[in-house]
Amino acid sequence: MSTAVTFVAGASAALAAVAAVFFLHFWRQTHDRFFALFALAFGVFAANRIALSAVTREHDTWVYGLRLAAFLLILLAILLKNRE
């Protein structure tokens, strides 16, 4: 993997982790599960970016399963919030 690709993968993982901490901060203030699910989803996005840069084969489906899990968490958070 080239240096630029590794840098961008690391930067996007760091920014996803920052977003997770941001939503975790709001969850600690409000105790709303919407923010907790978003924090968890962005934590999974960060783990996904780290796993993508660590995996040598491009077609490992479990790595993309992490991304699918994060999107499903976001969808669940939105559905539960609109149900209230």
Side-chain angles (χ1 to χ4, degrees), residues 9-65:
S12 68
L15 291 174
V18 167
V21 170
F22 180 76
F23 284 115
L24 190 61
H25 170 73
F26 283 113
W27 173 76
R28 292 185 76 191
Q29 288 181 345
T30 64
H31 294 288
D32 189 358
R33 67 179 165 201
F34 178 80
F35 294 124
L37 288 172
F38 262 72
L40 184 61
F42 278 97
V44 172
F45 277 135
N48 176 262
R49 294 307 299 172
I50 293 169
L52 273 175
S53 61
V55 170
T56 56
R57 294 185 348 224
E58 292 184 21
H59 299 292
D60 283 333
T61 55
W62 66 271
V63 176
Y64 295 103

